């Protein structure tokens, strides 16, 4: 994320300095923006208006420094829902992703798109601003559950990018999986098995997921959200659901590849399924034997 290829800023004493933090004048009359991360300069792009550049610095400062960031403009998260939604947006993207949006001038558009996504599911800033455990939480990601997630497969697919970023698995235990504890907003602990299915190349939540679906009355199109606490050496994980708003469509966009059935048998919870049929059941075993 350094600025090796963004060397347009000029530190000439002939140019008037900006009154805003992180803003540097450019010889063409525009304003550049930079921030420092571990003593390395990160270039955030150039902008026409000095105030616009200052606000870009504030966005980066909030993502890089957190709530204690020194910004050019005073804003409050506590009572401003739009601003709180922006905090959620910032926390759900990496520093590199935010920098890329700022450089390409797409940050505002992508933020508005995310707000609309929340709105279509009936979610407000206050819906996520729930800290029943008295601790700060970072939104990791959310997923619109698909018909197969709440169907007979008894599993939910975690998008690959999010799985590898937030829940990485060591190769030697990936197939066996690990048990993970998630707390919901009512303080109930959900113990779910998380593993990698090589047959379908999917990261999945399996054992325990069916009970979560049943108790939360999950339906296709509902939203499942994942958080992590920001305190302590061993951060806690949180998970809860939000019903979709309005009638909606059952045919939600699937995560790429998650609907593809495995070519060979898929073993899951004491079953061996071939094309969706448990071939370990006695009648099915006879059928397979007689039709070879």
């Amino acid at each position: 994320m350094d600025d090796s290829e963004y060397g347009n800023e000029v530190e000439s004493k002939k140019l008037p300095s900006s009154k805003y933090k992180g803003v540097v004048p450019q010889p063409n009359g525009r304003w550049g923006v930079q921030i420092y991360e571990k003593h390395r300069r990160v270039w955030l792009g150039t902008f026409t208006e000095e105030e616009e550049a200052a606000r870009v610095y504030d966005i980066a400062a909030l993502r890089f420094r957190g709530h204690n960031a020194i910004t050019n403009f005073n804003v409050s998260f506590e009572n401003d829902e739009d601003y709180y939604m922006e905090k959620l947006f910032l926390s759900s993207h990496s520093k590199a992703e935010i920098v890329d949006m700022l450089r390409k001038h797409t940050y505002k558009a992508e933020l508005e798109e995310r707000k609309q996504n929340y709105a279509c599911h009936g979610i407000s800033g206050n819906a996520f601003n729930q800290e029943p455990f008295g601790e700060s939480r970072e939104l990791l990601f959310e997923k619109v559950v698909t018909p197969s997630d709440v169907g007979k497969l008894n599993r939910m697919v975690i998008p690959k990018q999010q799985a590898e970023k937030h829940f990485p698995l060591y190769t030697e235990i990936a197939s066996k999986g690990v048990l993970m504890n998630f707390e919901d907003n009512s303080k109930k602990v959900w113990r779910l098995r998380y593993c990698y299915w090589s047959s379908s190349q999917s990261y999945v939540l399996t054992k325990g997921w069916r009970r979560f679906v049943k108790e939360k009355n999950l339906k296709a199109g509902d939203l499942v959200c994942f958080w992590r606490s920001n305190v302590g050496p061993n951060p806690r994980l949180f998970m809860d659901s939000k019903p979709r708003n309005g009638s909606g469509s059952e045919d939600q966009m699937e995560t790429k590849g998650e609907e593809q059935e495995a070519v060979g048998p898929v073993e899951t919870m004491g079953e061996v399924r071939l094309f969706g049929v448990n071939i370990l059941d006695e009648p099915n075993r006879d059928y397979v034997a007689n039709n070879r």
Side-chain angles (χ1 to χ4, degrees), residues 89 107-120:
F89 180 75
Y107 176 83
K108 289 183 178 179
E110 296 194 41
L111 172 61
E112 288 305 314
E113 182 179 349
R114 177 60 62 89
K115 287 180 179 178
Q116 291 175 14
N117 178 269
Y118 286 146
C120 76

Side-chain angles (χ1 to χ4, degrees), residues 24 43 46 92 133 143 150 175 181 196 226 256 258:
V24 291
W43 186 248
T46 56
S92 63
F133 306 97
K143 181 192 176 182
V150 293
S175 60
N181 291 331
Y196 179 74
F226 294 85
K256 183 178 180 181
E258 75 173 72

Side-chain angles (χ1 to χ4, degrees), residues 2-27:
D2 62 37
D3 64 316
S4 58
E5 60 185 274
Y6 297 91
N8 293 328
E9 72 274 31
V10 176
E11 299 176 358
S12 171
K13 295 181 180 180
K14 296 180 181 180
L15 295 175
S17 61
S18 173
K19 62 181 180 180
Y20 295 114
K21 185 176 178 61
V23 178
V24 291
Q26 303 294 286

Side-chain angles (χ1 to χ4, degrees), residues 211-228:
R211 185 166 61 93
F212 184 86
V213 170
K214 184 176 181 180
E215 185 161 325
K216 298 290 183 178
N217 195 27
L218 276 182
K219 297 179 176 60
D222 290 347
L223 198 68
V224 175
C225 310
F226 294 85
W227 297 268
R228 179 172 53 213

Side-chain angles (χ1 to χ4, degrees), residues 18-86:
S18 173
K19 62 181 180 180
Y20 295 114
K21 185 176 178 61
V23 178
V24 291
Q26 303 294 286
N28 61 3
R30 290 166 64 85
W31 299 91
V33 189
Q34 61 188 17
I35 192 170
Y36 282 83
E37 169 79 350
K38 297 180 179 179
H39 306 293
R40 296 185 66 184
R41 183 176 55 188
V42 180
W43 186 248
L44 303 174
T46 56
F47 302 85
T48 304
E49 302 296 333
E50 184 180 11
E51 185 174 310
E52 179 188 11
R55 293 190 183 280
V56 165
Y57 173 84
D58 287 357
I59 292 168
L62 288 169
R63 182 60 186 88
F64 279 67
R65 315 266 192 262
H67 304 314
N68 297 321
I70 298 175
T71 57
N72 291 299
F73 301 97
N74 292 325
V75 282
S76 173
F77 276 160
E78 283 72 16
N79 300 315
D80 188 335
E81 182 170 326
D82 284 340
Y83 203 67
Y84 187 81
M85 295 291 279
E86 186 166 359

